[in-house]
Amino acid sequence: MTQEQIRLLEKELWDAADGLRANSKLTAAEYKDPVLGLVLLRFAQNRYEEAKPIVEANIPVTPRGKRAATKEDFLAAGAIMMPEKAQYDYLANLSEDQNIAEAINNAMQLIEAEYADLEGNLPRNYQEFESDLLRDLVRIFNKDAVKCAIGDVFGRIYEYFLMKFSMQGAGAQEGGEFFTPPSLVQLIVNFIEPMHGTIHDPACGSGGMFVQTGYFVKSHSNQQVNEAIKCYGTEQKTNNTKLAKINLAIHGIEGKIIESNSFYSDPHNLVGQCDFVMANPPFNVNKIDMAKDFVKTDPRLPFGVPKADNGNYLWMQYFHAYLKETGRAGFVMASSATDAGGSEKLIRQKLIETEAVDCIVSISNNFFYTRSLPCHLWFYDKGKKTENRDKVLMIDARNVFRKVTTTINDFSDGQMFNLTAIMQFYRQDKNAYQTAFNNHQESVAELLQKQLTQFDIWAAEMIVAAVSLDIDLKDDLTITFKTPLDAVETQAIFDLFQEKTATATPFLEAYRADITAIEQDLKDKKQDEKQGKKTISALRTKINTLSKPTDVYSKATNENVGHIKQAIKDWQQFFEWFPDQKYQNTEGVCKIVSLDDIKENDYSLTPGRYVGVAAQLDEDFDYKGRLLDIQSELDALNAEAVDLSNLIAHNLKGLI
């Protein structure tokens, strides 16, 4: 499956499942765990079917024939040996008179018996669902496209469902309680590059940091994930611990997740042993008992216990303490922490003086799904290069975001490329410029190819619309007529199609030729900055013709044009930030500051204090037109004011 097909499948499954909930009496919180449990069952079935031929081929032939496959054979192939009554096909084929809730509960029990890491963690409350709702849910995850899904597809579906439930506030009263937005996780992973060794998250929620690390390892190395990294997580809440264990199982990641409170315990005993630490800890937690013996003697707090009962500066010390001498950490933190005073300021000063603080990134509002407050990303690097030991990279990304909805922001792919490039330049990565340049090219090329595909879909749909007969339109755009047609009928149908598309054909041909030519340019890996800027200019001109769609092609263009325009804008920003193909301090965006600079600013780690302010212009906004509108409004108001003044004067004369 392509990434686009996976995205479409995610949305289709979510819309179907959420539609069922909307017509039931269940809240999102009541619905979440059982639905995620069904995703796991479907995944386990697919992995089982995928592994069966591999297992069969690996069983040696003896004079007595082949022995029966065992549980161990399937585990070696990365699958669970599914008992018959735990198999998804068995559940999907249950007759109407059989108790489906009881059957699913039993399936969960059988899975736990075969997979020790999931024991006691799967939902068993399906009896609370109406039978019809359960049967419909089972059918949703039994479609052909789902049955054929292999590899990482189910991991991505599971993460997508977690994200959507988080957006609904399902069990996350404090916002982001079990799920960190993908953009923030991805930026943390891109900045610290966790490709090997021990990975620790002492506030792991549903395990998203581990999952994204797994994807990073797969895309940046030839190693298997479980050969490259070892994952250790701690999570205070029982339900979140279960979510994390299921999440790791679905992604095939081995990890040890322990339910415990990190403020009063250190269950993995990893002080000084971690290659990487990543976390989105709960912000501003108060009512912590700082007088507890464990806290007072905790080796993870070398710089002291803060006087306030706020947990922020406990977390920041934990992350530092867990790292090896070459370790890196990346974590989300409340914006107030960069300037906190009192005992917290003294701890921050000591942290800065270790020279391990590597980078601070300001993030705008609305990245979290159930709260709108801004935050900062902090990065430690105990193994900094010598030239960076007394420096900190400050990035103000508050004006870098893509608006997803009126209440949710994220980073586009291009914005992610640009922010990552800043960090790579700072670390003197010689490939930083070319890597980002190539990423931009490939991203735009993919979007253009999608645009051409959308025109193919649009054209095929016109055939369907032109015909009164039943037609099957396959994913690969193959058209099958359910009713056999003779030559005369076929010719009549396509004559009708030609008539309906006559006005569209000239545009389609010209558009396809132009976009194909630009796409060919993008495929040239030798393309330099000058040619890149020409490509951007050509793209901007062409895409602007799609900004005012007509009836002929609006359906085929609306969905993707916004993404193409965003990608062009991001690529243009890349050239503006790095005009000489190297790092430079950029007003309002980034600056490398010395520890002396930080000391002069009273040990503040707020990027806005250092990078300055840059004017933000929206290239798609008609400033001139808006100013003229404002002038017209002002003229009208002034005229009304004169009329009102004259009326008041007239009325006053009448009273005298």
Side-chain angles (χ1 to χ4, degrees):
M1 270 191 175
T2 65
Q3 294 302 310
E4 182 59 25
Q5 287 173 324
I6 294 173
R7 284 193 287 268
L8 291 174
L9 181 59
E10 289 169 347
K11 185 178 186 305
E12 178 188 352
L13 294 177
W14 170 261
D15 288 346
D18 194 48
L20 291 176
R21 184 197 67 78
N23 292 309
S24 74
K25 298 178 181 179
L26 299 171
T27 66
E30 292 168 330
Y31 197 61
K32 172 171 63 71
D33 294 339
V35 169
L36 294 174
L38 286 177
V39 174
L40 173 67
L41 274 182
R42 178 72 264 180
F43 165 79
Q45 173 82 41
N46 284 31
R47 290 290 298 126
Y48 172 70
E49 297 295 340
E50 191 179 350
K52 272 201 296 189
I54 300 172
V55 169
E56 184 65 25
N58 288 337
I59 296 176
V61 179
T62 68
R64 296 183 179 181
K66 285 192 172 186
R67 63 173 173 77
T70 66
K71 171 183 173 180
E72 287 69 28
D73 293 326
F74 278 92
L75 286 174
I80 301 168
M81 188 170 75
M82 300 284 286
E84 179 186 354
K85 291 189 176 181
Q87 293 182 20
Y88 207 89
D89 290 342
Y90 171 81
L91 298 173
N93 293 322
L94 285 174
S95 61
E96 295 289 331
D97 61 336
Q98 291 177 285
N99 189 323
I100 190 167
E102 185 178 302
I104 297 175
N105 285 338
N106 182 56
M108 295 297 176
Q109 185 175 355
L110 292 170
I111 291 291
E112 288 183 352
E114 297 297 329
Y115 199 76
D117 284 352
L118 293 177
E119 187 174 354
N121 292 303
L122 299 185
R124 303 276 191 86
N125 60 336
Y126 289 93
Q127 69 281 358
E128 298 175 9
F129 281 54
E130 295 177 2
S131 293
D132 290 345
L133 173 61
L134 267 183
R135 292 184 191 281
D136 287 341
L137 268 175
V138 170
R139 291 187 190 105
I140 284 172
F141 297 110
N142 203 44
K143 295 181 178 181
D144 289 342
V146 183
K147 285 182 176 181
C148 299
I150 60 174
D152 290 333
V153 174
F154 270 91
R156 294 185 184 278
I157 290 171
Y158 186 88
E159 283 281 301
Y160 183 80
F161 270 58
L162 278 174
M163 177 184 72
K164 298 297 283 186
F165 278 123
S166 180
M167 292 170 72
Q168 293 183 341
Q173 292 83 3
E174 297 303 319
E177 186 174 278
F178 60 84
F179 188 79
T180 306
S183 279
L184 300 187
V185 180
Q186 183 66 64
L187 196 65
I188 288 173
V189 169
N190 286 3
F191 274 32
I192 68 174
E193 301 176 331
M195 292 177 59
H196 66 274
T198 298
I199 317 290
H200 185 32
D201 183 348
C204 70
S206 60
M209 297 288 181
F210 301 132
V211 169
Q212 198 59 53
T213 296
Y215 289 136
F216 188 85
V217 170
K218 287 180 182 179
S219 63
H220 289 79
S221 77
N222 296 320
Q223 284 187 287
Q224 295 296 316
V225 172
N226 293 322
E227 293 175 356
I229 60 174
K230 300 297 179 187
C231 297
Y232 297 86
T234 307
E235 171 55 39
Q236 181 182 0
K237 301 201 173 181
T238 300
N239 194 55
N240 295 348
T241 303
K242 292 178 179 180
L243 288 176
K245 289 183 177 182
I246 295 173
N247 206 3
L248 265 61
I250 279 185
H251 286 85
I253 298 174
E254 295 176 5
K256 188 174 182 181
I257 309 295
I258 294 178
E259 182 181 331
S260 189
N261 185 337
S262 290
F263 289 131
Y264 306 127
S265 68
D266 183 20
H268 297 290
N269 295 311
L270 290 173
V271 171
Q273 300 180 51
C274 297
D275 295 280
F276 301 95
V277 174
M278 295 179 287
N280 172 27
F283 298 168
N284 302 322
V285 174
N286 54 22
K287 298 183 180 178
I288 299 169
D289 187 353
M290 301 294 189
K292 268 197 174 187
D293 288 341
F294 183 88
V295 176
K296 289 191 294 184
T297 61
D298 192 342
R300 300 175 300 169
L301 302 174
F303 308 122
V305 179
K307 292 180 180 178
D309 64 352
N310 185 307
N312 294 343
Y313 272 79
L314 298 180
W315 290 117
M316 286 190 279
Q317 291 188 76
Y318 298 162
F319 304 144
H320 184 272
Y322 283 129
L323 294 178
K324 291 179 178 178
E325 287 307 308
T326 55
R328 290 176 179 172
F331 55 93
V332 189
M333 185 49 61
S335 291
S336 58
T338 55
D339 274 318
S343 60
E344 292 175 322
K345 176 189 170 185
L346 295 176
I347 293 172
R348 184 171 66 252
Q349 177 180 339
K350 292 175 182 178
L351 274 168
I352 292 168
E353 289 171 348
T354 67
E355 299 184 335
V357 177
D358 195 35
C359 176
I360 308 291
V361 184
S362 297
I363 305 294
S364 77
N365 291 328
N366 296 332
F367 269 72
F368 289 92
Y369 301 131
T370 53
R371 56 182 175 178
S372 63
L373 77 167
C375 66
H376 285 82
L377 302 185
W378 289 52
F379 296 92
Y380 298 154
D381 186 354
K382 287 189 175 181
K384 279 184 186 180
K385 291 185 177 181
T386 303
E387 54 267 40
N388 285 347
R389 292 299 302 178
D390 64 342
K391 296 180 176 64
V392 176
L393 173 63
M394 297 290 182
I395 300 177
D396 190 343
R398 288 175 296 173
N399 293 312
V400 180
F401 60 86
R402 174 178 60 182
K403 188 169 284 296
V404 180
T405 69
T406 56
T407 59
I408 297 175
N409 297 334
D410 71 359
F411 292 131
S412 65
D413 288 343
Q415 290 166 344
M416 194 75 72
F417 301 151
N418 293 344
L419 292 171
T420 302
I422 294 175
M423 173 59 88
Q424 291 174 339
F425 274 118
Y426 164 67
R427 289 188 178 140
Q428 293 86 46
D429 183 339
K430 295 180 181 179
N431 298 317
Y433 186 88
Q434 197 60 49
T435 297
F437 188 94
N438 291 345
N439 285 338
H440 277 292
Q441 284 193 122
E442 291 165 7
S443 177
V444 173
E446 181 181 343
L447 288 168
L448 292 176
Q449 185 56 49
K450 178 183 175 183
Q451 187 71 5
L452 295 180
T453 301
Q454 285 185 331
F455 273 102
D456 292 335
I457 293 172
W458 174 79
E461 286 177 344
M462 285 201 68
I463 295 177
V464 176
V467 181
S468 60
L469 300 170
D470 288 333
I471 296 176
D472 281 338
L473 183 60
K474 305 296 185 184
D475 288 340
D476 62 358
L477 306 182
T478 301
I479 297 172
T480 304
F481 293 90
K482 293 180 179 178
T483 305
L485 304 176
D486 60 29
V488 175
E489 289 173 320
T490 303
Q491 185 61 50
I493 288 168
F494 282 97
D495 285 347
L496 181 59
F497 171 69
Q498 290 295 330
E499 177 186 335
K500 285 180 173 290
T501 58
T503 56
T505 300
F507 168 79
L508 289 173
E509 290 178 350
Y511 179 83
R512 181 178 293 279
D514 288 347
I515 294 298
T516 301
I518 295 171
E519 186 184 18
Q520 188 60 46
D521 288 341
L522 289 169
K523 291 178 181 178
D524 182 4
K525 295 300 179 185
K526 296 179 181 178
Q527 192 176 54
D528 59 14
E529 179 182 346
K530 183 178 180 181
Q531 183 58 40
K533 289 182 177 180
K534 286 183 178 179
T535 300
I536 284 177
S537 177
L539 273 170
R540 193 183 298 280
T541 299
K542 193 64 193 175
I543 295 304
N544 281 340
T545 67
L546 304 180
S547 297
K548 300 175 182 178
T550 68
D551 291 341
V552 172
Y553 57 93
S554 61
K555 185 173 181 180
T557 62
N558 277 349
E559 181 183 350
N560 203 42
V561 168
H563 294 303
I564 297 176
K565 293 178 77 173
Q566 179 71 53
I568 295 169
K569 182 178 179 180
D570 296 337
W571 200 3
Q572 181 67 51
Q573 187 176 69
F574 170 72
F575 290 129
E576 292 169 357
W577 285 3
F578 311 110
D580 299 319
Q581 301 189 19
K582 63 182 180 181
Y583 175 86
Q584 66 175 23
N585 291 333
T586 302
E587 192 79 11
V589 179
C590 60
K591 185 176 182 178
I592 298 173
V593 302
S594 68
L595 298 191
D596 288 338
D597 293 330
I598 294 173
K599 184 177 179 180
E600 288 177 10
N601 280 274
D602 204 23
Y603 293 97
S604 168
L605 288 177
T606 301
R609 281 203 180 195
Y610 302 94
V611 304
V613 179
Q616 297 294 315
L617 296 178
D618 184 348
E619 295 179 3
D620 297 323
F621 186 78
D622 183 5
Y623 289 98
K624 182 178 179 180
R626 181 57 185 145
L627 285 173
L628 290 173
D629 289 342
I630 292 172
Q631 183 62 53
S632 297
E633 292 172 13
L634 180 61
D635 290 343
L637 290 172
N638 286 336
E640 288 181 23
V642 171
D643 291 342
L644 183 59
S645 178
N646 291 335
L647 178 61
I648 292 171
H650 175 74
N651 290 340
L652 286 174
K653 286 181 180 179
L655 294 173
I656 297 173

